[in-house]
Structure formats: C-alpha cells, structure tokens
Amino acid sequence: MTNINNENIKKVNEYLKDKKNILIITHYNPDGDAVGSSLALYSFFKNKGFNVDVIVPNEYPKFLHWLPYNDKIIIFNSNKKLIKNKLKKANLLFFIDFNVLDRIQGMHSLIKQTNIPKILIDHHPEPENSFDITISSTVVSSTAELLYEFMTKLSGEESIDQSIAECLYTGIMTDTGSFSYNSSLPDTYYVVSKLLEKGIDKDKIYWNVYDNYSTDRMRLLGYCLNKKMKVIPEYATAYISISADELKSFNYRPGDSEGFVNFPLSIKGIVFSAIFIEREDHIKISFRSKGSFNANKFAENHFNGGGHKNAAGGYSEQTMDKARGKFVGLLAEYKDKLLNKRI
Ligand code: 5GP
Ligand code: MN
C-alpha cells in the first residue's frame, strides 16, 4: 500500500498532538463507504481517547443502521443547533469520501465561516484545493481501503479492532458492488484479508446490507424494471425514471432505490445506465457505466455532478420530462464513445 506518503502522515500526527476535539463529516446521501469509513475513523479516534463526533448531512439508508456505533451519528438536517455548538469546540475536521465541499450541502456555509484545520481522506478524482491535508487516491477501491492504510501507517496494525474492520469491510464491499467493479488490484484483497483476520463475518455483513430490504422496496424494483425502464440499444443505454407519487405508492424510505441503476447494465450490450428520481425540488440522477465510458464527465458536463468513471451522480432542476429529454437528446453526441468506436 503506497497511496499515502510519510509526509502526510507526519503532518496528521502534528495536528493530532494538540487537537482533541475531532469532527468527522461525510457527504450528502451517504452510502456504505461514506458511513462505514466515517464510523471506522470515529472508532479509531475514540479508542485513542479523542473527543470525536460523526456528522452526516441527511438521513441514510436503513440497511446501514446495523453498523457498529451507528447510534453515534448526528444528522445535520435535524440537529443544526447541536452541530453549530460542536463546530465551536472542534479543532480538527476530517472530510470523508468526497472531493468538493459542496457535497456536504447546508453544512458547507457553516464550515466556510471557520478556519479549523481540514483533512480530506477520499478516492474521487480531482479533489478541490480547500484542505490543509489532502489524502486522496483514485487507485483504491474505496475510502475505506485508503483508511486501512491511513490507520495502520498512523498507529500500526493492532489499532484496527473488529468493529473498525466491520465498518471498513462494509465500505469496500459496497463501493465495489461486492467486488464486481473497482476491485481489480491485489491491494484491495490484501486489505480484505487483513480485515478477515480481525474476525469479521463477511457473509453476515453481506446479508445485513443486501438481504435486509422491505417488501415494498422489492416491489418498487419490480415495478421500475417492468414498467419504467427504457432501453435504447442503438446507444447502448438504458434508463429508469420514477416520480415522487410513484415512490409514495410504494411507501418509499431513504435508500429503497439504492442499486436500481445497476440493473440495466445486466442487459447484454448496455454500457450506460441512468436513474431519474423525483425529489422535492429537483431530479436526482445516478449514472453507471461499464468499461471506458466516463459517467463522471457526463454528469459533470450536463447534470451539475461528478463522481467516478463508472459511477457518478448529479441533479436537474428542470421537470422530469425535460431532464429525461435532455439525457436522451445528448446520447447521439456520445454515440461513438458509447459504442466504444475510435473517434
Ligand atoms: P450515487 O449515484 O450512488 O448517488 O453516486 C455515485 C457516485 O457519484 C458517488 O461516488 C458519489 O460520490 C458521486 N455523486 C453522486 N451525486 C453527486 C453529485 O451531485 N455531485 C458530485 N460531484 N458527485 C456525485
Ligand atoms: Mn466511496
């Protein structure tokens, strides 16, 4: 593991010497890597005797609520006053699993008003230049994998206990779709083997995350695939769109549509997939691709977003019809890339 240089580890150690109150902050709509990594780091610093809190901007999926120390998470949207007070006392901030501060949404304006040292630990491309220390690698599968290196370089292998290992494994597993993408390098499996040595039950973690859905969620998935998926073979693309009313009719809970966007990629010949989900004041869009097609560039150029090459997201403030229309209209421009022809 050679993603973190000694210089950065030294700098972090300097900060930790006299800074006792740590806040760990992750991105809006946090996923398994965001929550797993944040809780792993929480536990790591707690074990070392620091005062530490984990903040997530908004509600996160129920299938992550089994994670160790889940009850320590403070949700910004429903605890703004408490978090303002925590920020007053904080003297070190860790930002986990995102590359631009915009991704913490409402908390961004609060952070901007402070000059507390900021440390980023992340695996998205092109991190913004707002941090005192940037620990970033796009080679790793996940922030959780990078954190394993961070923790062991900072405090040795014995600083990883079973709870930390469960949190880190969850991050790696969810960010690789259970080792089906972003997971072709030996280091990922080296880290996994070290986590297994800590006594984690990887099958149980899988069941907790993927076999823990409500009946409503399964029926919503069936409905989306049967009635709402459009396939455009000439552009190797498929997409799903779902309105707020439709979500309501399936008793939608946060996280219920997680993973839906991957299903169209299982169709032979499809390399680009999107899902459009109507939220209160915008359309949330997720993109997934297979192979060389840059989903993040597409999200960045057309839908105010970003992410990884094969997994990205963004949003539209237009109507569902317009957002979908814009998406479909753009495909011709990308035909050669989608069909992987040289241009
Ligand atoms: P998801 O589609 O699961 O929400 O996100 C997939 C990937 O895209 C994640 O790595 C996430 O961090 C990134 N992503 C999702 N939404 C946005 C967005 O609005 N802006 C940016 N910059 N990245 C996003
Ligand atoms: Mn991640």
Side-chain angles (χ1 to χ4, degrees), residues 27 29 31 97-100 103 123-124 175 258 261 284-288 303-308 311-315:
H27 61 79
N29 287 338
D31 55 14
D97 196 41
F98 62 93
N99 53 355
V100 286
R103 297 221 61 223
H123 68 128
H124 292 85
D175 254 24
E258 192 84 20
V261 64
K284 157 79 187 149
I285 313 167
S286 289
F287 301 100
R288 297 292 183 271
F303 291 101
N304 315 299
H308 306 280
Y315 65 91

Short mmCIF file of all heavy atoms in Angstrom, two decimals, residues 27 29 31 97-100 103 123-124 175 258 261 284-288 303-308 311-315, ligand 1:
data_model
loop_
_atom_site.label_atom_id
_atom_site.label_comp_id
_atom_site.label_asym_id
_atom_site.label_seq_id
_atom_site.Cartn_x
_atom_site.Cartn_y
_atom_site.Cartn_z
N HIS A 27 -20.43 12.95 3.04
CA HIS A 27 -21.23 13.66 2.03
C HIS A 27 -22.74 13.42 2.13
O HIS A 27 -23.19 12.50 2.80
CB HIS A 27 -20.74 13.30 0.62
CG HIS A 27 -20.85 11.83 0.27
ND1 HIS A 27 -22.02 11.24 -0.10
CD2 HIS A 27 -19.90 10.86 0.23
CE1 HIS A 27 -21.81 9.95 -0.37
NE2 HIS A 27 -20.52 9.70 -0.17
N ASN A 29 -26.46 12.33 1.12
CA ASN A 29 -26.90 10.99 0.70
C ASN A 29 -25.78 9.97 0.91
O ASN A 29 -25.34 9.29 -0.03
CB ASN A 29 -27.28 10.97 -0.79
CG ASN A 29 -28.59 11.67 -1.04
OD1 ASN A 29 -29.40 11.81 -0.12
ND2 ASN A 29 -28.81 12.12 -2.26
N ASP A 31 -23.45 6.86 1.45
CA ASP A 31 -23.58 5.45 1.08
C ASP A 31 -22.76 4.58 2.04
O ASP A 31 -22.26 5.06 3.06
CB ASP A 31 -23.13 5.26 -0.38
CG ASP A 31 -21.73 5.79 -0.63
OD1 ASP A 31 -21.00 6.05 0.36
OD2 ASP A 31 -21.33 5.93 -1.80
N ASP A 97 -14.72 10.68 2.04
CA ASP A 97 -15.41 10.10 0.88
C ASP A 97 -16.08 11.11 -0.05
O ASP A 97 -17.12 10.84 -0.63
CB ASP A 97 -16.42 9.03 1.34
CG ASP A 97 -16.88 8.14 0.19
OD1 ASP A 97 -16.04 7.76 -0.65
OD2 ASP A 97 -18.10 7.82 0.12
N PHE A 98 -15.51 12.30 -0.19
CA PHE A 98 -15.98 13.21 -1.24
C PHE A 98 -14.86 14.18 -1.56
O PHE A 98 -13.89 14.29 -0.80
CB PHE A 98 -17.25 13.96 -0.82
CG PHE A 98 -17.09 14.83 0.38
CD1 PHE A 98 -16.77 16.18 0.25
CD2 PHE A 98 -17.26 14.31 1.65
CE1 PHE A 98 -16.62 16.99 1.36
CE2 PHE A 98 -17.10 15.11 2.78
CZ PHE A 98 -16.78 16.45 2.64
N ASN A 99 -14.98 14.88 -2.71
CA ASN A 99 -13.85 15.68 -3.18
C ASN A 99 -14.11 17.18 -3.26
O ASN A 99 -13.19 17.96 -3.43
CB ASN A 99 -13.37 15.17 -4.53
CG ASN A 99 -14.50 15.08 -5.54
OD1 ASN A 99 -15.66 15.32 -5.21
ND2 ASN A 99 -14.16 14.74 -6.78
N VAL A 100 -15.39 17.57 -3.17
CA VAL A 100 -15.70 19.01 -3.20
C VAL A 100 -16.65 19.33 -2.05
O VAL A 100 -17.61 18.60 -1.80
CB VAL A 100 -16.35 19.44 -4.56
CG1 VAL A 100 -15.32 19.49 -5.68
CG2 VAL A 100 -17.50 18.55 -4.94
N ARG A 103 -20.53 19.05 -1.58
CA ARG A 103 -21.25 17.80 -1.37
C ARG A 103 -21.74 17.60 0.07
O ARG A 103 -22.40 16.64 0.38
CB ARG A 103 -20.41 16.61 -1.84
CG ARG A 103 -20.13 16.69 -3.34
CD ARG A 103 -20.25 15.36 -4.01
NE ARG A 103 -21.56 14.79 -3.91
CZ ARG A 103 -21.80 13.51 -3.64
NH1 ARG A 103 -20.82 12.69 -3.43
NH2 ARG A 103 -23.03 13.07 -3.58
N HIS A 123 -11.32 9.10 -2.35
CA HIS A 123 -10.84 8.41 -3.56
C HIS A 123 -11.50 8.89 -4.85
O HIS A 123 -11.50 8.18 -5.85
CB HIS A 123 -11.01 6.89 -3.40
CG HIS A 123 -12.45 6.45 -3.39
ND1 HIS A 123 -12.92 5.45 -4.21
CD2 HIS A 123 -13.51 6.87 -2.67
CE1 HIS A 123 -14.21 5.27 -3.97
NE2 HIS A 123 -14.59 6.11 -3.05
N HIS A 124 -12.09 10.09 -4.83
CA HIS A 124 -12.66 10.64 -6.06
C HIS A 124 -11.60 11.44 -6.83
O HIS A 124 -10.72 12.03 -6.21
CB HIS A 124 -13.84 11.55 -5.75
CG HIS A 124 -15.03 10.83 -5.21
ND1 HIS A 124 -15.17 10.53 -3.87
CD2 HIS A 124 -16.11 10.32 -5.82
CE1 HIS A 124 -16.30 9.87 -3.69
NE2 HIS A 124 -16.90 9.72 -4.86
N ASP A 175 -18.72 -0.21 -2.13
CA ASP A 175 -18.18 0.61 -3.22
C ASP A 175 -17.68 -0.22 -4.40
O ASP A 175 -17.35 0.34 -5.45
CB ASP A 175 -17.05 1.53 -2.72
CG ASP A 175 -17.52 2.97 -2.61
OD1 ASP A 175 -18.74 3.18 -2.47
OD2 ASP A 175 -16.69 3.89 -2.68
N GLU A 258 -31.66 2.49 -3.83
CA GLU A 258 -30.21 2.24 -3.91
C GLU A 258 -29.94 0.98 -4.75
O GLU A 258 -30.58 -0.06 -4.54
CB GLU A 258 -29.68 2.02 -2.48
CG GLU A 258 -28.19 2.03 -2.34
CD GLU A 258 -27.60 3.43 -2.21
OE1 GLU A 258 -28.33 4.37 -1.85
OE2 GLU A 258 -26.40 3.56 -2.49
N VAL A 261 -30.05 1.49 -10.28
CA VAL A 261 -29.39 1.98 -11.50
C VAL A 261 -28.44 0.93 -12.10
O VAL A 261 -28.14 0.97 -13.29
CB VAL A 261 -28.66 3.32 -11.21
CG1 VAL A 261 -27.53 3.14 -10.21
CG2 VAL A 261 -28.12 3.97 -12.48
N LYS A 284 -33.03 13.93 -8.85
CA LYS A 284 -31.71 13.32 -8.54
C LYS A 284 -31.42 12.28 -9.62
O LYS A 284 -32.27 11.47 -9.99
CB LYS A 284 -31.79 12.68 -7.14
CG LYS A 284 -30.80 11.58 -6.87
CD LYS A 284 -29.41 12.10 -6.53
CE LYS A 284 -28.41 10.95 -6.43
NZ LYS A 284 -27.06 11.29 -6.81
N ILE A 285 -30.20 12.33 -10.14
CA ILE A 285 -29.85 11.40 -11.21
C ILE A 285 -28.60 10.61 -10.81
O ILE A 285 -27.63 11.19 -10.31
CB ILE A 285 -29.56 12.15 -12.53
CG1 ILE A 285 -30.67 13.18 -12.80
CG2 ILE A 285 -29.47 11.17 -13.71
CD1 ILE A 285 -30.33 14.16 -13.90
N SER A 286 -28.65 9.30 -11.02
CA SER A 286 -27.46 8.47 -10.85
C SER A 286 -27.08 7.89 -12.20
O SER A 286 -27.96 7.52 -12.98
CB SER A 286 -27.73 7.31 -9.89
OG SER A 286 -27.87 7.77 -8.59
N PHE A 287 -25.78 7.80 -12.44
CA PHE A 287 -25.27 7.23 -13.68
C PHE A 287 -24.35 6.06 -13.36
O PHE A 287 -23.57 6.13 -12.40
CB PHE A 287 -24.46 8.27 -14.46
CG PHE A 287 -25.23 9.51 -14.83
CD1 PHE A 287 -25.09 10.67 -14.08
CD2 PHE A 287 -26.10 9.51 -15.91
CE1 PHE A 287 -25.78 11.82 -14.40
CE2 PHE A 287 -26.81 10.65 -16.24
CZ PHE A 287 -26.65 11.81 -15.49
N ARG A 288 -24.42 5.02 -14.17
CA ARG A 288 -23.45 3.92 -14.06
C ARG A 288 -23.01 3.56 -15.47
O ARG A 288 -23.80 3.63 -16.42
CB ARG A 288 -24.07 2.68 -13.41
CG ARG A 288 -24.54 2.87 -11.98
CD ARG A 288 -23.38 3.10 -11.02
NE ARG A 288 -23.84 3.21 -9.64
CZ ARG A 288 -24.21 4.34 -9.05
NH1 ARG A 288 -24.15 5.49 -9.70
NH2 ARG A 288 -24.62 4.32 -7.80
N PHE A 303 -25.10 17.59 -15.91
CA PHE A 303 -26.07 17.49 -14.82
C PHE A 303 -25.50 17.88 -13.46
O PHE A 303 -25.83 17.28 -12.44
CB PHE A 303 -26.67 16.06 -14.79
CG PHE A 303 -27.57 15.77 -15.96
CD1 PHE A 303 -27.11 15.03 -17.05
CD2 PHE A 303 -28.86 16.27 -16.00
CE1 PHE A 303 -27.94 14.78 -18.15
CE2 PHE A 303 -29.71 16.02 -17.08
CZ PHE A 303 -29.24 15.27 -18.16
N ASN A 304 -24.65 18.90 -13.43
CA ASN A 304 -24.17 19.51 -12.17
C ASN A 304 -23.54 18.51 -11.20
O ASN A 304 -23.64 18.67 -9.99
CB ASN A 304 -25.33 20.18 -11.41
CG ASN A 304 -26.22 21.00 -12.28
OD1 ASN A 304 -25.76 21.96 -12.87
ND2 ASN A 304 -27.49 20.62 -12.40
N GLY A 305 -22.94 17.47 -11.73
CA GLY A 305 -22.48 16.42 -10.81
C GLY A 305 -21.06 16.00 -11.02
O GLY A 305 -20.19 16.77 -11.42
N GLY A 306 -20.80 14.75 -10.72
CA GLY A 306 -19.45 14.19 -10.82
C GLY A 306 -19.44 12.80 -10.22
O GLY A 306 -20.48 12.18 -10.07
N GLY A 307 -18.25 12.35 -9.86
CA GLY A 307 -18.13 11.01 -9.26
C GLY A 307 -16.97 10.26 -9.87
O GLY A 307 -15.94 10.84 -10.19
N HIS A 308 -17.15 8.96 -10.04
CA HIS A 308 -16.11 8.10 -10.60
C HIS A 308 -16.41 7.81 -12.07
O HIS A 308 -17.53 8.04 -12.53
CB HIS A 308 -16.06 6.78 -9.85
CG HIS A 308 -15.91 6.93 -8.37
ND1 HIS A 308 -14.71 7.19 -7.77
CD2 HIS A 308 -16.82 6.88 -7.38
CE1 HIS A 308 -14.88 7.27 -6.48
NE2 HIS A 308 -16.16 7.09 -6.21
N ALA A 311 -19.27 5.25 -11.92
CA ALA A 311 -20.40 5.51 -11.00
C ALA A 311 -20.41 6.99 -10.67
O ALA A 311 -19.48 7.49 -10.03
CB ALA A 311 -20.26 4.69 -9.73
N ALA A 312 -21.43 7.68 -11.12
CA ALA A 312 -21.47 9.13 -10.89
C ALA A 312 -22.90 9.55 -10.61
O ALA A 312 -23.84 8.77 -10.73
CB ALA A 312 -20.92 9.85 -12.12
N GLY A 313 -23.04 10.81 -10.22
CA GLY A 313 -24.38 11.32 -9.94
C GLY A 313 -24.45 12.79 -10.23
O GLY A 313 -23.44 13.46 -10.43
N GLY A 314 -25.67 13.30 -10.24
CA GLY A 314 -25.88 14.72 -10.46
C GLY A 314 -27.35 15.04 -10.22
O GLY A 314 -28.07 14.23 -9.64
N TYR A 315 -27.77 16.21 -10.67
CA TYR A 315 -29.19 16.56 -10.49
C TYR A 315 -29.63 17.52 -11.59
O TYR A 315 -28.81 18.11 -12.30
CB TYR A 315 -29.42 17.17 -9.11
CG TYR A 315 -28.72 18.49 -8.90
CD1 TYR A 315 -29.36 19.69 -9.21
CD2 TYR A 315 -27.41 18.54 -8.44
CE1 TYR A 315 -28.70 20.90 -9.06
CE2 TYR A 315 -26.75 19.75 -8.27
CZ TYR A 315 -27.40 20.92 -8.57
OH TYR A 315 -26.76 22.12 -8.44
P1 5GP B 1 -24.93 7.76 -6.45
O1 5GP B 1 -25.41 7.65 -7.84
O2 5GP B 1 -24.86 6.41 -5.80
O3 5GP B 1 -25.64 8.79 -5.66
O4 5GP B 1 -23.44 8.28 -6.53
C1 5GP B 1 -22.46 7.63 -7.31
C2 5GP B 1 -21.17 8.38 -7.24
O5 5GP B 1 -21.31 9.68 -7.75
C3 5GP B 1 -20.62 8.54 -5.82
O6 5GP B 1 -19.23 8.35 -5.88
C4 5GP B 1 -20.95 9.94 -5.46
O7 5GP B 1 -19.99 10.44 -4.59
C5 5GP B 1 -20.98 10.68 -6.79
N1 5GP B 1 -22.07 11.66 -6.83
C6 5GP B 1 -23.39 11.44 -6.67
N2 5GP B 1 -24.10 12.59 -6.74
C7 5GP B 1 -23.19 13.57 -6.97
C8 5GP B 1 -23.30 14.99 -7.14
O8 5GP B 1 -24.39 15.59 -7.12
N3 5GP B 1 -22.12 15.67 -7.34
C9 5GP B 1 -20.91 15.04 -7.39
N4 5GP B 1 -19.82 15.80 -7.60
N5 5GP B 1 -20.78 13.71 -7.23
C10 5GP B 1 -21.90 12.98 -7.03
#
